[in-house]
Structure formats: C-alpha cells, structure tokens
Amino acid sequence: MSLTAALIYWVIIALWLAVLTTVCVAFVRNPRTFGTVRLLLSVIVVDTVRNIIENLYFGLYFGGQYGLFPSAIVGVLGNPSYLILPKVMNVAAACAVLGLLVLRWLPQASKERDDADADIQVKTEALNQETEERRRLFETSLDLIVVTDRIGILRRVSPSSLATLGYLPEEMVGRNGTEFIHPDDLESTRREMQLARTGQHTRNFETRYIHKIGRIVPLAWSGVWSEPEQKHFFFGRDMTERKVAEEQLRHLAHFDQLTGLPNRVSLRDDIDKILKAFADDFARPMTVAMLALDGFKDVNDTLGQAVGDRLLQEIAQRLTSISHEMRVYRLGGDEFVLLLENCGDPLVATSVVETILKRVTAQFDLDGHQLFVAAAVGLAIAPAHGSNADDLLANADLALDDAKASGGRSCRLYVPTLRARAKHRRELDTELRRAYANQEFV
C-alpha cells in the first residue's frame, strides 16, 4: 500500500503533463481559436505547473522512503524549510490566477459583454425597423396580402381587401379562402396551393374572386409556402383595369370603330375557322359576298365626311338587320363583306344578294338630306373558289371588279377567266411600261 501511495504521485504528474502537452499542441496548431479563451488556458497552465511541481516534490520524497530513489533524497526534501515550498507555490499560483482574473479576464469579459449588448441593440433596432416597414407595407399596400394556413383558413388579411373585394379584414379572417373564390376556379386554386407546398413559388396565377356586391374580380397571385410556420403568404393584384384595357385593345384590333362591325382581321379569322371546322364536310359550303358602294365619294365630297360617316353607319345597320344567320364585316372605305354559311348554290346566293341590294339602295334620310346609293357585289363560293381566306377574298374582289366594270348596280360570280384576264392585264401593263422605259415605241 505504501508503494502504491508513492506511485500515485507519479501517475498524477503524468496526467498533468498530458494536460499541459495537449493545451500547448492545440495552441500551436490553431492559435486563432484561443483568442477568447486564452486567459482561461493561462489559468489552466498555471494550475498545471503548480500540480506538477507539487506532486514531483512529494513523489520524490515518498519514492526515496520506499526505495524507489536514493534515501538521501528523503533527508533533503524532509527538511522543514523545504516542506513549506509547496504551500508557497500554492499561494503564488493562487495570486497569479487572481491577478489574471482581475487584471485581464474581468476587463475583457466586461468589454465583450458591452460589445455583445451593443450588437444586440443594433440588431434589435434593425429588426424593429424591418418589422415596422413590413407593417406599413402590409397596411398601405394597394395589392391584397393574405396569410393562410395549410387548409386555406385566412389568418391575416391586409386593409386593401375593402377596396379590392368589398370586405373588411375582420370579415375575412377566420373564414376559408374558398368562400370568396369563383366556383369554376376552386380546383385550379387548390392545385396551385399544393404545388406551393412542394417548394414551387406561385407567380401570376390568375383566380377570379367574387366581390361583396357580386361582381367578378380577377386577381393575379404570387406567393410562397413557409414550412416552419406552416402558412401560405400571398400577394394578389387586381387585374380588372388590365382586363378592361386588354378587351379594349382586342376590340380595336378586331372591330371597325365607326360602324362597330368586325373588321378585316376578324373576317380572315372567321373564314379560316369555318373552313377548318368543316374541312371534311363538303356538304356545307360558304359564300363570300364583297359589296362596294357606288356614289359614296360624291356624298363625302358634297355633304361632308360627317354625313358620309352617318351613311356608312346606316348601311351597316341595314345589313345586320337583314338576317341573323348572315355575318357582316367592314373592310374599310365603302366596302363590306357578307358571309353566308351553308350557302353554295350560286342562284340562292344571287337571290340573297339581290334582296340585300334592294335594302341598301333604298332611300336614306340623313340630317335633312334624301340620299340614294347604289352597290356592286362580287361572289366567291367555298370550297369551289378557294380553300382559304386569302383565295376567297381575292376571288370575290375580282368578281366585284367585274361587277363595277359592267356599270355597277349588279352582282357577279367569280369564274376562273376573271383571274386569267387580271393576269393578262397585269402582264400587258408591265410590258407597256417596260417598252416605254426602253423607248421601244416608234
């Protein structure tokens, strides 16, 4: 047991040397990581050295007594004057540790605490400012901002809901968002919300909502799903004005502004749609009747453009009132086009056109003026005279030119010789111009 007691001191020395070695090696390898804990390590080093020296002293002393070292060591280390040395070292180590704590650790800890408090203060002010900015954005945004949970219950609604949907925020919070969505858009809205929960952002997804007074409000939504909060965040923009503007632009592009009739763009689209719909049904032909007024320029020149515009409006009204099965278009100027579906018999088409001409050439009473106009009509029948809009309109125009050339006030059906004659006239004109330019006339 006595030998074991002597060996314990050397085991303690070995352990403290291992601690000191570990600290020194760690500091050499990574000196930067010891910036904030260097003082604590200094305390450990001081205490380690003290423990090593103290245990070395007693290890030698008791080792000499039990024969591990020369017995002369016992006489030297057993001197009462030397026995006080470990106690003195304990006092010196305590004073060193206390000095490090008071002179270095406490001021540094105080500085670090002040720096941390200042950093917290700055971050708190920044967070408060960001929170205030978000609150102002939420309360003043013209767009509708809503927060919903996973099942679509509205948790927060911005004040803009009153202007957008006619509801106060408190009237919407707690209710399911589907209560305000148009029934036809419910399924597509659910799909978008499911996609959002998979991590996909929702951008410009249009949904129709029902205003408190019952009208439809189209909204374009953008939003994200927050997995930690288990909430949807959506921004909705009212698209009503944009839809109105788009409809106005579409109307300008497809309708004549003076008469309100569909224009050339609509005519081409409608012809192509009809031909495509009945491409395999040759039993359902279509007649294109191109009508041009005779004497309209004289009305404009003598009575003014305002009267001429009124005359065109009256003619458009007469044409549209003849039959609901006949489509009427204005190409521009004094030209109109009539589409007669399911009409492929030239005799029937001619009979219908004669009825139209009688209505058009009847007397007009405009601003105290009694006016009479004549008209010429050219007919082209699909699919015999063309399988697309360009061919049908071109051939109807050739028939119209033939009707005008015959003195007007008549109706002509397109025949292939009209195109041949037109081609011949164009070639003759080209040759004459070339010959004149080359001075080939004698």
Side-chain angles (χ1 to χ4, degrees), residues 5 125 167 206 357 435:
E125 291 177 356
Y167 293 94
E206 291 194 15
L357 288 176

Side-chain angles (χ1 to χ4, degrees), residues 392-404:
L392 285 172
L393 292 176
N395 292 336
D397 194 25
L398 288 174
L400 175 62
D401 291 340
D402 185 49
K404 290 180 179 179

Side-chain angles (χ1 to χ4, degrees), residues 211-243:
H211 195 278
K212 191 173 184 178
I213 62 176
R215 66 180 178 88
I216 303 299
V217 180
L219 294 176
W221 291 99
S222 296
V224 296
W225 164 256
S226 175
E227 188 64 29
E229 299 182 60
Q230 292 289 296
K231 291 180 180 178
H232 289 281
F233 296 85
F234 288 114
F235 294 80
R237 175 158 297 180
D238 189 351
M239 303 296 289
T240 302
E241 293 183 1
R242 179 176 174 178
K243 292 292 184 182

Side-chain angles (χ1 to χ4, degrees), residues 430-442:
T430 300
E431 286 298 317
L432 289 174
R433 291 179 183 276
R434 183 192 61 77
Y436 178 79
N438 295 333
Q439 298 181 353
E440 295 178 3
F441 291 101
V442 179

Side-chain angles (χ1 to χ4, degrees), residues 345-360:
D345 187 342
L347 296 178
V348 175
T350 302
S351 175
V352 173
V353 169
E354 292 294 341
T355 302
I356 294 172
L357 288 176
K358 290 180 181 179
R359 292 289 302 273
V360 171

